[in-house]
């Protein structure tokens, strides 16, 4: 257990559905991240939040909408997704942002878009 | 642009040493990292090396950094079946040290 939990662990949704992924960290960290992991592709950083403010948005389509209501919780709201969005979505947190910054990862949500 | 490359697969016999290689493009990276991902789990930081070091050893793990060739390697001595996992190399992005650039990951399979 890394102290970062994600729910649900698996999600199957249609292209017209709206769903949300949830991440919670119990480590007292100030920064949280969303990554997308697709087969045979590098891990892609999607969003970074530091002290509940978005500091990085890596050209992610607007059908992905993050929300960070407090430093312990991070959501990824999904709507009108495409089949190519099927992937493992990983959440991570770190104490602070900066050059050395161990990120602790959750187990991920396996998303399948039909 | 920033790029981190790794081979996709490595297969070794139990008890042998494993060497996982990584090349990166950003010579200004401050830290370079190795993460491990076991089946069904998130990534876990294994070790890291500061860019002014050539080598770092931590029990069975040895990290070698060749800055001239922009080459990073992870050696696992006496590889065990529990070491079977995907290993990711990562570097800090040039203009944003909050951002880690990951490789594709190397799937290590250890057989008896």
């Amino acid at each position: 257990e890394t102290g970062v939990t994600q729910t649900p662990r698996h999600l199957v949704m249609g292209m017209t559905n709206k769903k949300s992924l949830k991440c919670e960290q119990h480590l007292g960290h100030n920064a949280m991240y969303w990554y997308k992991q697709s087969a045979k592709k590098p891990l892609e950083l999607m969003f970074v939040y530091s002290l509940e403010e978005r500091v990085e948005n890596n050209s992610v389509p607007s059908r992905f909408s993050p929300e960070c209501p407090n430093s312990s919780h991070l959501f990824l709201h999904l709507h009108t997704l495409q089949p190519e969005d099927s992937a493992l979505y990983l959440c991570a947190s770190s104490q602070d942002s900066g050059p050395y910054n161990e990120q602790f990862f959750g187990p991920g949500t396996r998303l399948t878009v039909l | 642009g920033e790029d981190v490359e790794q081979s996709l697969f490595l297969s070794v016999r139990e008890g042998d040493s494993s060497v996982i290689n990584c090349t990166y493009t950003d010579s200004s990276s401050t830290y370079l990292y190795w993460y491990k991902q076991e089946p069904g789990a998130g990534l876990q930081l294994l070790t890291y090396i500061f860019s002014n070091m050539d080598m770092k050893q931590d029990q069975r793990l040895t990290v070698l950094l060749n800055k001239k060739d922009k080459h990073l390697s992870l050696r696992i001595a006496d590889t065990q079946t529990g070491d079977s996992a995907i290993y990711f190399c990562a570097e800090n992005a040039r203009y944003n040290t909050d951002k880690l650039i990951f490789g594709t990951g190397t799937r290590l399979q250890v057989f008896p």
Side-chain angles (χ1 to χ4, degrees):
Chain A
E1 288 292 329
T2 62
V4 181
T5 58
Q6 291 187 242
T7 54
R9 293 294 305 275
H10 300 272
L11 178 63
V12 179
M13 59 187 288
M15 291 166 61
T16 58
N17 291 159
K18 288 185 181 181
K19 296 286 184 184
S20 295
L21 309 185
K22 179 182 176 182
C23 175
E24 184 173 359
Q25 57 96 359
H26 313 273
L27 302 168
H29 288 170
N30 295 318
M32 297 187 77
Y33 311 76
W34 279 117
Y35 288 88
K36 177 182 178 183
Q37 184 178 13
S38 304
K40 298 182 182 178
K41 290 177 68 175
L43 204 64
E44 301 170 58
L45 178 66
M46 300 175 72
F47 300 103
V48 180
Y49 276 81
S50 181
L51 296 171
E52 301 149 45
E53 287 194 22
R54 192 191 303 181
V55 296
E56 176 87 23
N57 176 2
N58 236 21
S59 302
V60 179
S62 60
R63 57 186 184 268
F64 295 91
S65 174
E67 180 192 359
C68 187
N70 56 62
S71 59
S72 298
H73 294 86
L74 184 65
F75 295 90
L76 187 62
H77 302 300
L78 316 171
H79 64 98
T80 58
L81 293 193
Q82 305 297 311
E84 60 264 29
D85 297 322
S86 297
L88 182 69
Y89 288 84
L90 290 166
C91 173
S93 71
S94 59
Q95 183 61 57
D96 292 295
S97 55
Y100 170 62
N101 190 16
E102 180 178 356
Q103 294 183 23
F104 293 79
F105 285 78
T109 295
R110 174 72 61 186
L111 174 68
T112 303
V113 181
L114 301 176
Chain B
E2 300 140 346
D3 197 16
V4 178
E5 294 189 357
Q6 301 177 240
S7 54
L8 289 179
F9 298 101
L10 176 65
S11 184
V12 300
R13 190 180 300 275
E14 190 174 18
D16 288 351
S17 293
S18 308
V19 180
I20 303 171
N21 294 302
C22 169
T23 57
Y24 60 96
T25 55
D26 187 354
S27 57
S28 67
S29 293
T30 313
Y31 290 90
L32 294 125
Y33 308 81
W34 284 104
Y35 281 82
K36 177 183 180 182
Q37 185 178 29
E38 296 183 359
L43 277 71
Q44 187 172 12
L45 180 66
L46 264 185
T47 187
Y48 66 94
I49 188 167
F50 190 49
S51 58
N52 69 353
M53 298 169 65
D54 298 323
M55 186 184 86
K56 180 178 179 181
Q57 187 153 2
D58 184 2
Q59 299 181 331
R60 292 191 298 123
L61 304 179
T62 304
V63 179
L64 294 177
L65 176 60
N66 181 330
K67 286 195 72 174
K68 176 175 169 291
D69 295 337
K70 297 179 190 169
H71 183 266
L72 183 74
S73 68
L74 174 69
R75 179 176 180 270
I76 306 173
D78 187 24
T79 312
Q80 304 297 308
T81 54
D83 295 324
S84 295
I86 303 176
Y87 290 81
F88 290 87
C89 168
E91 64 167 347
N92 289 112
R94 174 175 296 188
Y95 298 111
N96 183 350
T97 54
D98 295 345
K99 180 178 174 179
L100 294 180
I101 308 296
F102 286 84
T104 53
T106 299
R107 183 179 293 277
L108 173 65
Q109 183 173 1
V110 183
F111 57 94

